[in-house]
Structures are given as structure tokens and as C-alpha cells.
Amino acid sequence: MTESTRAELLAEPGEGGRERLAAFFAARGEPAYRARQVEEWVWERGARSFDEMTNLPAGLREALEAVFSLTPIEPDYTARSRDGTVKHLWRLDDGERVESVLIPTRDRLTLCLSSQAGCALACRFCATGDFGFRRQLRAAEIVAQYRDSLRVAREEMGRPASSPISNVVYMGMGEPLANLDGVIGSLASLHGGFGLGARRITVSTVGLIPGILELARRPEPFELAVSLHAPSHELRLRLMPIEKRYPLPELFDALRTYQSYKNRRISFEYTLIRGVNDDPALAEPLAKLARGLICFVNLIPFNPIPSRPEWGPSSTEGIARFSEALAARGVGNAVRRPRGRDIDAACGQLRLARES
Ligand code: SAH
């Protein structure tokens, strides 16, 4: 049976899922606690198959299997960096492949997950953009990356069993706010199903205004990150075609609206490409844009990609100069160390490397 005809339990946290399971068991004359048992397997133990649910009779497990799906995804390839970063390339039911990355720091373990197979936005510095768009991920496929990473975090990375993954960022392949159904559904599962705190989940976007406003209206305090990369229309247009559709002034109006709803700090991502967008003089227009917003800028050295051989990361001194120029204008910022360089951990790079 195909996924489209079975209900994916990973996409149904809370009441909806419970009611559907309750109806399933009631129709078979089973006691009500069976639904609770299944839920425990899904959300607390991260079961990948109904066979694992050993406190349910085998016949019931088969019956569940016919009606429901646990959205199995298969690790096609796993790469482990010397710095502890672990990257997975997952194969989905139709053969599409997406990446997720586990990034350990001293007191955190962050999972970076994918929201689409490929991406339509064609940012010039991004390896995923080179694939073009393949398809949306269903909510359950986004959540399955988390479920299967939990196991790796617990069993291979020695993380506490109670909360192996401390943070989730939607910074893998794809543009989350171009897949609102899938992403909103997955947020509901991570938060309401697996119990991950909304403040520990960051949605990163190129700046799709309708999606930003949709997030603003949600009650949960999910974090928002915006890929900025340039403070002027001309320069941003060179790097990110989306600037044509949602230019900076409109984007920042939307961010002000977002902040009037949420009153939460917004992060900006700024990838520093040598000689392209790292002139410290750009700190001035950037500070002007940010005026009136509570925000923070993450500076990321550009990770070279094969399709842009002419571009390289800014030098250490160049990055420091840019960072200081921002700080001098009152813009809080930090330089993010690249992680997992030896395993092609940057967005889209592993799939690219495995296909070329
Ligand atoms: N589409 C979303 C999330 C995916 S990319 C977004 O654009 O925000 C996550 C971050 O990695 C983005 O800020 C993106 O601009 C950045 N990025 C992509 N390719 C990169 C590269 N080669 N080097 C450094 N950062 C890159």
C-alpha cells in the first residue's frame, strides 16, 4: 500500500491522532488503552515499525500496518566528521534523497533538517539551489528525520536518553516557508508530539513574506532566522533571486510586523563571500535596515561549492573587520565556525558529492 492511502502517525500529534487510533481500536473491540500504547511507541520511543510494538499482539500490529504508516526513511549514507558532526542522507519512499545534520557543541546537540527535496530559490551560493526543486516533503517526512536522528544521538553520541536533541533548525535542504503545510505540520509534531520546546526550534527563510506572517500568527514562540546576505537591493539580487519578488524594504516591514506580534529576537544569517559581500562599508546600510528591530546577525564563512569556483570564503581578518564594523554600529553579531567541513556538511553538498 502506498503512503498516500495510509495515515502517517508522525503527522498526527495530540487529539487528532489519538481519536483516529481510538476509533481504529474501538472498531476492533479493543480496549481504549491500546491507543495510548501506540502513542507511547511513536512519540516517546521513536518506533520506526509496528513490529517494535511488542506489547501489542502480532495480529493487531499487522492490522495497524495496513491502515497506518510510520513513514520509514532509510539512511542511504552516513558521514561522521572529525569534529563530531554526523550527516545523514535519507532515502524517501519514492527514491528522493534529503540530508540532515547532527551538530554537537559542548552543551547542545542541534539537528539541522530538510524541508524540501531540492529547492526552487536558486540562491547563487547554495549547493541545494543547483538541484532545482524536486518535491515538497510531507510533514511526516520532515519529522522522520528527527525521529531517526534521536536514535543516533542516544545510541552513538552518548546524549541523555531524556532529551538527546536539544535544538532543531530548518536549515537543511529546501525553503521551509515555501512548504507551509509540511513545515507547520512538522512543527506541530515536534512540539506537540515529541515535546520539543518551541524556543528550541528555528525556522530559517530566504524571506518569504506570507510565510513569515503566518508564523507570526501562530501562538507558539518558534524562532525565526532570515537569510540576509546583503543589505542593498542590487547586491542581494545578485546573490538571491527572491529579492526581486520580496525586496528588502517589504521584507523588513514584514519583520517589524512579525516582531509586533511576537516580541522575539530575529536572527539574520550573513554568509561572507570574499570580495562579494564582505566590505565593512556594508555594515552601515545593514545597521540602518536593522534599526528598530531586536535582532542578531550570525556571520558564516562561505562554504565553497563546485558550481561557483570563483567564490571563496572571506579571510579570518576580513570576517573580523566585518564583525567589528557591525558591532561598532550597535548590531549584535557572532562568527559561526563551519562544522563538518571534511564531510561536505554544508547545505546540499553531500547529495551533490554522492551524485557526481
Ligand atoms: N532556505 C532556508 C534554509 C536553508 S539554508 C534559508 O535560506 O534560510 C540554511 C543557511 O545556509 C542559509 O542562511 C543559507 O543562505 C546558508 N548557506 C547556503 N549555502 C551556503 C554556503 N555554501 N556557505 C555558507 N552558507 C550557506
Side-chain angles (χ1 to χ4, degrees), residues 119 121 123 125-127 170-176 204-206 225-229 240 269-271 300-305 346-347 349:
C119 185
L121 290 164
C123 297
F125 47 82
C126 177
Y170 284 70
M171 294 186 188
M173 300 171 98
E175 165 53 41
S204 178
T205 178
V206 291
V226 177
S227 293
L228 186 60
H229 306 311
M240 305 173 73
E269 289 140 292
Y270 197 109
T271 292
I300 312 154
F302 171 64
N303 215 324
I305 59 171
C347 187
Q349 293 195 343

Side-chain angles (χ1 to χ4, degrees), residues 323-338:
S323 167
E324 284 156 18
L326 279 180
R329 285 160 185 80
V331 181
N333 70 91
V335 179
R336 300 292 167 198
R337 268 183 312 137

Side-chain angles (χ1 to χ4, degrees), residues 43-64:
W43 305 114
E44 283 159 45
R45 304 204 211 182
R48 300 182 70 250
S49 74
F50 292 102
D51 283 347
E52 288 173 49
M53 303 184 179
T54 44
N55 54 355
L56 289 146
L60 265 187
R61 295 190 324 241
E62 269 173 42
L64 279 165

Side-chain angles (χ1 to χ4, degrees), residues 3 6-10 38 42 47-51 53 68-73 140 144 147:
E3 296 301 326
R6 291 194 293 171
E8 294 184 280
L9 291 176
L10 278 184
V38 173
V42 174
R48 300 182 70 250
S49 74
F50 292 102
D51 283 347
M53 303 184 179
F68 297 104
S69 166
L70 289 166
T71 317
I73 59 173
R147 175 199 58 204

